[in-house]
Amino acid sequence: MTKEEADNGRDDMLIDNPEVQEKETDAFPEGFNSSYLKLYYGWLFPHADMSKWMAYGNDGKHPACDESYFGRREFSFTLDNDIYVRFQSFKTAYELEKAIKEQCPFKIDIGPVYSVDPAKRHAYSQSGDNIFTPVERELVFDIDISDYDDVRYCCSGADVCLDCWPLMTVAIKVIDVALRDDFGFNHILWVYSGRRGVHCWVCDARARRLNNEQRSAIADYFRVYKGNSNSRSKISLVGPVLHPFLMRSFNVLSDYFEKKLLCSQQLLSDERYENILDMISDESVSSELRGKWQGKGHSTANDINIVRWEQLKRLCGSKKKTPSLLRCVQEIVFSFTYPRIDMEVSKHMNHLLKSPFCVHPKTGRVCIPINPSLCDEFDPTNVPTLSKLLREMNTGGLQAEGEIVWDRTSMGKPIRYFKESFLQPLLKSCKNGDW
């Protein structure tokens, strides 16, 4: 820590004296509290980079710069004791950083850019002119693993483990490729929600300017679910052959279904195979499989789930006169693995979404970006936590001149990814006129 930083009042819990570092290693036990959060916002939260993102190049002096742009963005703070403050706005990056450090929000949500300053919306409504309306907002996707509770058996609700997390991995892979290849978007940020899911921000200029009808059309492109809990199948795969997007997705989904989920979730165990047999449209086929499986759960050295799945595929594939059986195999895979998007979040411009780099108050985990190219390696149980970061920061020794504090912690890698792989290409496109 430099002398200047030691004098700025932000180091009330940091210990840089080497003689007491070992004693202070456990000064930050696991947990979440406002004191921890104050240090995090003071030292580790990437204020400047987040503000550059939200400005989209409108913080320079070029002729096309809209000086009011940043100040028309809505920010929402959830404070201690669940105090929820919406429609906040800040004219400058400094004002936003100052408010975050002073108010120490437990959660920061980001909303749209409005036609006028959202903090002054009441003044405009009293004038009789209905001009307060969202004009720009990233296309966003919200996927929670709790929406998969009918197809995962290791966890439920907000709980997550490495056995069911592949459901989020495959969602990232399927949606990211479609957004890039089918819609031509380039500036896409995936973020761990801090507890039970992932968020996606599509930040291309034309994505930010989509109206609600256009957003709905894109969301519907990803929709394959239908029916209700009483339906034999909740999947609607129409047409004699799968749409190219769905066929491409099926190749990814089936690989994860067979290699990751089939065994980890014991989907064809004696206790669960009826759930899958109920999805087969031909009763004679399901009866034949039931006869093969009843009372034979441990009759083979190979994993019973894999053996039974191969039997199911062979039997359905052998019925040449019943092509619908092949579709049944596809529907089973889609039912258990296809992304379950919160459609309403994607369809409307005025939905709020949690800011990247927030800290989840229940888990203490930081909402760090996920590289979609390396999402197979992402471990939600091993992301930086608030207390871990403070311990890392506290035991790093004296701060070298020019050293960035977060670079000595496990926040270094996710912030560098955010800056180098997402923010810099995005700002370059803005500079080149992609507003």
Side-chain angles (χ1 to χ4, degrees), residues 270-286:
D270 287 349
E271 297 80 13
R272 297 185 184 131
Y273 66 67
E274 285 292 345
N275 295 330
I276 288 181
L277 291 183
D278 285 345
M279 300 176 67
I280 297 177
S281 57
D282 190 316
E283 181 61 36
S284 65
V285 171
S286 58

Side-chain angles (χ1 to χ4, degrees), residues 202-411:
V202 186
C203 303
D204 300 61
R206 60 188 182 87
R208 304 196 309 269
R209 292 168 186 163
L210 295 168
N211 59 35
N212 287 342
E213 290 73 22
Q214 292 165 331
R215 291 166 194 268
S216 294
I218 292 176
D220 284 336
Y221 181 81
F222 292 104
R223 185 197 296 274
V224 300
Y225 289 96
K226 67 169 187 177
N228 53 49
S229 58
N230 296 320
S231 303
R232 180 187 64 81
S233 174
K234 301 174 187 174
I235 298 296
S236 175
L237 303 178
V238 298
V241 295
L242 290 181
H243 183 280
F245 157 64
L246 295 179
M247 192 67 245
R248 182 182 65 216
S249 299
F250 176 71
N251 293 332
V252 177
L253 298 172
S254 59
D255 187 59
Y256 274 77
F257 178 83
E258 294 179 356
K259 295 179 180 179
K260 299 281 188 180
L261 301 169
L262 193 60
C263 296
S264 71
Q265 301 301 319
Q266 294 288 294
L267 297 181
L268 285 171
S269 64
D270 287 349
E271 297 80 13
R272 297 185 184 131
Y273 66 67
E274 285 292 345
N275 295 330
I276 288 181
L277 291 183
D278 285 345
M279 300 176 67
I280 297 177
S281 57
D282 190 316
E283 181 61 36
S284 65
V285 171
S286 58
S287 296
E288 184 174 343
L289 288 170
R290 187 178 292 107
K292 290 176 180 287
W293 298 346
Q294 282 179 338
K296 301 176 182 178
H298 304 284
S299 59
T300 175
N302 296 321
D303 188 283
I304 195 64
N305 296 279
I306 296 174
V307 171
R308 287 173 172 174
W309 179 245
E310 292 301 321
Q311 289 175 337
L312 185 153
K313 287 196 297 181
R314 280 197 302 270
L315 190 55
C316 288
S318 68
K319 304 292 183 177
K320 301 296 185 182
K321 296 181 180 180
T322 316
S324 63
L325 283 173
L326 292 176
R327 180 56 55 87
C328 283
V329 173
Q330 294 170 337
E331 288 183 350
I332 291 168
V333 171
F334 271 84
S335 295
F336 281 85
T337 58
Y338 187 77
R340 301 187 178 189
I341 298 167
D342 186 331
M343 303 294 283
E344 295 306 309
V345 171
S346 301
K347 287 182 174 183
H348 301 288
M349 292 182 73
N350 60 356
H351 264 286
L352 297 165
L353 193 63
K354 187 192 303 178
S355 169
F357 299 108
C358 277
V359 181
H360 197 289
K362 292 287 197 305
T363 64
R365 296 173 185 165
V366 180
C367 303
I368 59 171
I370 301 172
N371 183 345
S373 300
L374 301 175
C375 60
D376 282 303
E377 302 172 15
F378 183 80
D379 180 353
T381 67
N382 194 37
V383 302
T385 64
L386 195 53
S387 47
K388 178 186 178 183
L389 289 170
L390 298 184
R391 288 196 295 269
E392 290 172 346
M393 187 169 61
N394 209 33
T395 57
L398 291 172
Q399 182 180 347
E401 185 174 351
E403 181 189 13
I404 303 172
V405 176
W406 50 254
D407 231 356
R408 66 164 74 177
T409 73
S410 47
M411 282 287 283

